Amino acid sequence: MRLRGLEEYSIGLDIGTASVGWCVLDAHGDLSYMKGKPAWGSRLFPSADPAADARIARGQRRRYIRRRWRLDLLRSFFQEDMDQFDPDFFIRLRQSRLLPEDRSIDCRDYRYPLFNDADFTEQQYYERFPTIYHLRAWLMETDEKADLRLIYLALHNIVKHRGNFLRQGERFSAKDANTAEAIEDLCTALDEWCEAEGLSCAASTNVGKIRKTLEDQNVARSARRDDLVKLFAIASVDSRSDAKKFAKALASAIVGLQADMKDIFGAEGESTKLRLSDEEKVEAFRQILPSEGEPLFDAMQATYSAFILSGILSSSEPETVGKSISFHKMAEYEKYKEDLKLLKALVRKY
């Protein structure tokens, strides 16, 4: 670039996240002119997304891809038998979101996407199974040969919403939400970690109080975190502030709040701030987790999962004791149904 009449000049740039400003100065530091106009200006452009936002979007895409892969695999298992039983079933499912005029010609006359049999319609299906959990519970207990489409719908729900509690070779029910054992393992792992790090810890002497604090779902998470910090009583011999950060991060993670794992394990990286419910971030953090910290991190996850599962399986109905999630969800549905009926009656009366 050479400006007319200038042998020497300088270019100044002001580079920001959403703009670049520029100007041209002569040898004396004065603003130059070109065609009677000052030689300065700026270019504006959309700012880049933060790395955290892009990482979240990538994680969501990966989850959607994996979910789609699981559902396609499930469908491939059923395809051959379904073609003999109800050849248009999967086609109707794919086109159920479309208006009749947008569907393929063969599927425009169907009234319902799931069941259009003469002896079993979709209306009868929802009367018999108000929620997918009613269907899953019925399939677990029935001795009769079930409709292949019912089996597919139940498995489709399980595979699509697989949850955070899948462990190979394990089966979860209310009996498996062993919060006491999870807390014992956590306190043991915490004692070992604190001993190695030169910290004192009183968790093992407060096991009962820690369990009671975590079980109290009527108290806010932040309040339970503060109570756990006091019960852990983690301290260093020289009263360093990092011991307080360690205790706060540990308690935050267990109650389901975001925590910086760097304050616990000293690991450096972009993926140290996470919630134990975030599968993507937990997997990413495991890549930088020190090997000596794995027992404590596993114990933290197990404690968090045990109390979440205990909350899901907390129905007080006698018929749900020792049974799976489906029966507890059914009990929640019935309770909500009765509460709604009572609310409507009160509104009509008053």
Side-chain angles (χ1 to χ4, degrees):
M1 174 182 177
R2 182 168 179 175
L3 295 178
R4 190 175 302 170
L6 282 181
E7 294 295 334
E8 297 182 4
Y9 58 86
S10 302
I11 299 176
L13 298 175
D14 178 18
I15 302 176
T17 58
S19 64
V20 174
W22 59 273
C23 69
V24 180
L25 307 176
D26 60 20
H28 302 289
D30 297 326
L31 181 65
S32 300
Y33 287 79
M34 185 174 183
K35 294 183 179 181
K37 296 181 180 180
W40 63 2
S42 64
R43 289 295 180 95
L44 305 179
F45 47 83
S47 60
D49 293 330
D53 295 340
R55 196 160 51 241
I56 292 173
R58 285 197 304 271
Q60 290 175 337
R61 286 195 296 270
R62 284 196 295 267
R63 282 195 293 273
Y64 291 147
I65 291 172
R66 286 201 295 263
R67 178 196 291 178
R68 186 70 264 166
W69 178 85
R70 294 196 306 269
L71 295 178
D72 288 342
L73 181 62
L74 176 66
R75 178 183 167 184
S76 67
F77 292 154
F78 280 79
Q79 187 71 60
E80 184 177 349
D81 293 323
M82 194 65 75
D83 287 342
Q84 300 176 9
F85 188 81
D86 186 353
D88 296 332
F89 180 70
F90 290 131
I91 299 175
R92 295 199 306 273
L93 281 182
R94 285 200 306 271
Q95 300 188 3
S96 61
R97 71 188 68 181
L98 303 177
L99 295 172
E101 58 267 23
D102 295 329
R103 300 174 189 169
S104 60
I105 297 177
D106 296 337
C107 295
R108 289 180 181 176
D109 296 333
Y110 287 119
R111 183 177 181 184
Y112 302 114
L114 297 179
F115 304 100
N116 289 275
D117 303 345
D119 56 342
F120 190 58
T121 65
E122 197 154 324
Q123 182 177 355
Q124 293 173 316
Y125 165 77
Y126 284 113
E127 289 175 355
R128 187 175 181 185
F129 307 114
T131 70
I132 191 64
Y133 297 106
H134 288 76
L135 173 60
R136 287 166 53 171
W138 178 77
L139 287 173
M140 283 189 284
E141 292 191 327
T142 185
D143 293 327
E144 64 181 80
K145 185 177 180 180
D147 189 310
L148 183 63
R149 294 167 297 186
L150 297 178
I151 299 174
Y152 173 81
L153 291 175
L155 291 177
H156 182 279
N157 177 258
I158 295 172
V159 171
K160 183 177 182 180
H161 306 286
R162 63 190 184 89
N164 290 323
F165 305 107
L166 293 185
R167 300 288 188 274
Q168 187 173 358
E170 295 185 14
R171 177 186 176 188
F172 281 102
S173 69
K175 295 179 180 178
D176 298 306
N178 195 337
T179 55
E181 182 179 345
I183 292 177
E184 289 284 354
D185 293 341
L186 173 67
C187 292
T188 300
L190 181 57
D191 284 342
E192 294 176 354
W193 178 265
C194 288
E195 183 179 358
E197 294 294 316
L199 301 171
S200 62
C201 176
S204 296
T205 60
N206 294 318
V207 173
K209 294 180 180 179
I210 293 173
R211 179 181 179 184
K212 185 177 180 180
T213 300
L214 288 171
E215 287 178 343
D216 192 354
Q217 300 296 323
N218 296 322
V219 177
R221 291 182 179 183
S222 58
R224 281 185 282 158
R225 175 199 61 197
D226 296 339
D227 291 340
L228 287 177
V229 170
K230 297 176 182 177
L231 293 173
F232 288 148
I234 298 172
S236 56
V237 293
D238 54 359
S239 300
R240 294 177 299 172
S241 60
D242 54 356
K244 297 180 180 179
K245 291 182 179 180
F246 172 80
K248 185 176 181 179
L250 177 68
S252 296
I254 294 172
V255 299
L257 297 173
Q258 179 173 280
D260 194 341
M261 296 297 147
K262 180 177 64 177
D263 294 335
I264 303 176
F265 302 101
E268 297 289 345
E270 294 184 0
S271 56
T272 58
K273 291 185 178 180
L274 55 88
R275 298 174 187 265
L276 293 180
S277 59
D278 192 326
E279 181 183 356
E280 294 289 336
K281 290 188 177 181
V282 168
E283 290 178 2
F285 177 70
R286 281 193 175 277
Q287 304 301 318
I288 60 174
L289 174 66
S291 58
E292 61 271 18
E294 290 180 0
L296 177 58
F297 189 67
D298 290 341
M300 291 165 57
Q301 279 194 288
T303 302
Y304 170 76
S305 298
F307 277 94
I308 292 297
L309 182 59
S310 176
I312 295 175
L313 304 179
S314 60
S315 173
S316 59
E317 299 298 326
E319 62 271 15
T320 64
V321 176
K323 292 196 173 183
S324 68
I325 291 177
S326 295
F327 293 92
H328 287 263
K329 288 294 186 181
M330 287 170 56
E332 287 184 11
Y333 174 84
E334 294 300 328
K335 185 178 184 303
Y336 176 82
K337 183 178 179 181
E338 294 300 321
D339 291 344
L340 182 60
K341 186 185 299 184
L342 176 61
L343 177 61
K344 288 181 177 179
L346 292 174
V347 170
R348 293 190 187 100
K349 183 176 180 179
Y350 298 104

